[in-house]
Amino acid sequence: MPSGKAKSPRSGRRDPKVVIYPAWCKKCGNCVAFCPVQALEEDEWGFPRLARPEECTSCRLCEKLCPDFAITVGEAPVIKGRSAEEPAPRATGDRSTVDRRHSPERVPPVLEHHRDEEESDREET
Amino acid sequence: MTGSNRTIVYEWLRHDKKFPHVWCPGCGLGILLGSLVRALSSSGLDKNRVVLVSGIGCSGRLPVYVDTASVHTTHGRALTFALGIKLSKPDLVVIVVMGDGDATAIGGNHLIHAARRNLDLTALIVNNQTYGMTGGQFSPTTPFGSKASTAVFGHIENSFDISALSETAGAAFVARSTVYHVNQMDNLILQAIRKKGFSVLEVLSPCHTNFGRHNRLGSQVDMMKMYKKQGVPVKRWEQMSEKERLDRIPLGVLTDRDMPTYLDSYAEVCRLAAGMREEGKI
Ligand SMILES: Cc1ncc(C[n+]2csc(CCOP(=O)(O)OP(=O)(O)O)c2C)c(N)n1
Ligand code: SF4
Ligand code: SF4
Ligand code: SF4
């Protein structure tokens, strides 16, 4: 269940959550070129960056047109019963770069006991 | 509506494979991989019932990354392995991923006969109009006049239309999409998987590294913009004049027909034979 209730000021839709995972990004430029509202731009190294978050409509086209699963749109997955300090588990040994949170370096997981706080924060604002 | 890649990646990609994957930056095969796992995830199929089969080529690498049973076979023979798997275990959902060279050159005969037999398989044919992995030689889908590493003066053969070929050969379901039309592709993959009978989905995908470079088509972004301009829904295509159709490609479901599948007919033969044996006639 998505928990985001915050509305972006312009579109009135749910807050966009575009996350880029540089370790998998090959800087191909698909996401920047095909975002229908030009919300993304290339940063100085060639990686995409959400330059105009207020424009983003969470349409997920960038996510689907990314050949490398390096940009995703949506809520951070909730990790049950894990403390914030604990490192993310490796899926199968050290070689794996696939993680439940897709991936450890990128999406800070919303720990379950933090989620309620987050929700009440949101409702206040 | 399909789920977010964030959760699907963990569930459907193989954890012991090295990412980022081997394909060139921007290659359409990565987009198809995403589409396939989203379709599989929304199909509700049990992972253990799905088998992905591929041949050799850049497209042949695709099943390697998906966490289902997979068979990476020899160049051109993916369909023959798939046929064997389906006949021995009809409960499995068998999806075959092939390149255009794989499916229509060395494996061309297998394609038409698999379509003719109408065995319940799904064939995803990645049409990048060239032999990507081996360096951009012409394939049976390279358009007349275009350049390839083995056609520096321009190609002098006519090309196959993969969808028309499969349709005439007898496939129950034929559709075409491009990696730019990714939402349509998600849906068509799901439809092809669910269809009873031989289903073919032809996916146009940019190989900017080889086909694009030889023909000065620019980056994959330029090639995808070209697909955007060329692609028209089949419904509109049917109403277009010959002149308007030039340089345009019909996209969507091209054929969808219900016919007895090979397994249906085979079960009937088994029933007849069992009856005759009971009567002592054989
Ligand atoms: C029997 C056999 N013949 C030739 C080859 C060499 N070979 C490897 S990949 C390939 C072509 C692949 O082209 P295609 O099927 O269009 O896939 P793509 O790489 O474009 O995705 C060829 C000819 C081979 N591996 N095996
Ligand atoms: S979700 Fe849509 S609008 Fe937002 S950055 Fe991605 S492509 Fe642009
Ligand atoms: S589409 Fe993906 S790989 Fe390409 S630049 Fe964007 S995030 Fe990076
Ligand atoms: S050679 Fe062509 S088909 Fe192969 S990975 Fe590169 S762009 Fe894709």
Side-chain angles (χ1 to χ4, degrees), chain B residues 130-186:
Chain B
T130 190
Y131 282 180
M133 179 164 268
T134 45
Q137 294 84 355
F138 61 74
S139 82
T141 54
T142 304
F144 184 90
S146 55
K147 302 219 162 91
S149 62
T150 45
V152 286
F153 302 108
H155 194 34
I156 55 169
E157 297 171 13
N158 292 318
S159 60
F160 267 147
D161 176 339
I162 297 180
S163 296
L165 178 71
S166 317
E167 188 180 333
T168 333
F173 179 91
V174 182
R176 189 194 281 117
S177 191
T178 83
V179 293
Y180 171 77
H181 299 84
V182 62
N183 288 320
Q184 181 193 44
M185 184 160 69
D186 282 13

Side-chain angles (χ1 to χ4, degrees), chain B residues 22-29 58-59 128 130-133 205-211:
Chain B
V22 294
W23 297 309
C24 305
C27 176
L29 283 161
C58 295
S59 36
N128 53 18
T130 190
Y131 282 180
M133 179 164 268
S205 170
C207 176
H208 49 300
T209 307
N210 287 309
F211 188 75

Side-chain angles (χ1 to χ4, degrees), chain B residues 75-92:
Chain B
H75 191 40
R77 310 289 175 237
L79 275 171
T80 62
F81 284 85
L83 206 106
I85 294 167
K86 185 72 187 179
L87 283 180
S88 61
K89 289 218 186 311
D91 283 347
L92 296 177

Side-chain angles (χ1 to χ4, degrees), chain B residues 46-264:
Chain B
D46 175 6
K47 249 191 217 180
N48 297 322
R49 269 190 64 213
V50 181
V51 186
L52 293 182
V53 188
S54 70
I56 301 295
C58 295
S59 36
R61 291 285 306 169
L62 196 146
V64 173
Y65 293 113
V66 189
D67 191 28
T68 59
S70 63
V71 195
H72 195 175
T73 73
T74 53
H75 191 40
R77 310 289 175 237
L79 275 171
T80 62
F81 284 85
L83 206 106
I85 294 167
K86 185 72 187 179
L87 283 180
S88 61
K89 289 218 186 311
D91 283 347
L92 296 177
V93 175
V94 185
I95 302 168
V96 193
V97 184
M98 293 171 286
D100 49 315
D102 217 12
T104 60
I106 187 168
N109 220 25
H110 300 308
L111 177 69
I112 53 177
H113 291 291
R116 179 176 65 82
R117 291 187 180 114
N118 196 28
L119 187 66
D120 193 3
L121 300 172
T122 302
L124 303 179
I125 305 181
V126 185
N127 185 357
N128 53 18
Q129 302 176 305
T130 190
Y131 282 180
M133 179 164 268
T134 45
Q137 294 84 355
F138 61 74
S139 82
T141 54
T142 304
F144 184 90
S146 55
K147 302 219 162 91
S149 62
T150 45
V152 286
F153 302 108
H155 194 34
I156 55 169
E157 297 171 13
N158 292 318
S159 60
F160 267 147
D161 176 339
I162 297 180
S163 296
L165 178 71
S166 317
E167 188 180 333
T168 333
F173 179 91
V174 182
R176 189 194 281 117
S177 191
T178 83
V179 293
Y180 171 77
H181 299 84
V182 62
N183 288 320
Q184 181 193 44
M185 184 160 69
D186 282 13
N187 289 333
L188 289 177
I189 295 179
L190 194 59
Q191 278 186 51
I193 293 174
R194 288 194 172 144
K195 178 75 191 177
K196 219 165 146 266
F198 192 69
S199 355
V200 176
L201 175 62
E202 175 187 359
V203 177
L204 295 173
S205 170
C207 176
H208 49 300
T209 307
N210 287 309
F211 188 75
R213 183 168 50 90
H214 285 299
N215 292 287
R216 298 180 186 266
L217 295 174
S219 70
Q220 91 285 352
V221 170
D222 299 317
M223 292 179 77
M224 278 161 69
K225 284 184 180 155
M226 188 178 78
Y227 292 150
K228 181 183 176 183
K229 222 167 84 196
Q230 291 177 332
V232 286
V234 229
K235 285 237 166 69
R236 220 173 83 215
W237 166 267
E238 279 162 3
Q239 282 150 17
M240 285 163 86
S241 66
E242 278 298 318
K243 215 174 124 218
E244 287 173 315
R245 284 183 185 180
L246 280 178
D247 263 350
R248 292 302 184 91
I249 308 164
L251 302 179
V253 180
L254 306 172
T255 306
D256 187 356
R257 47 191 171 190
D258 290 316
M259 301 183 289
T261 69
Y262 188 90
L263 284 171
D264 294 338

Side-chain angles (χ1 to χ4, degrees), chain A residues 18 31 34-37 39-40 50 55-63 73:
Chain A
V18 175
C31 52
F34 293 112
C35 170
V37 293
L40 299 165
L50 187 62
E55 298 285 330
C56 172
T57 56
S58 295
C59 71
R60 294 178 50 205
L61 195 64
C62 52
E63 172 179 292
V73 184

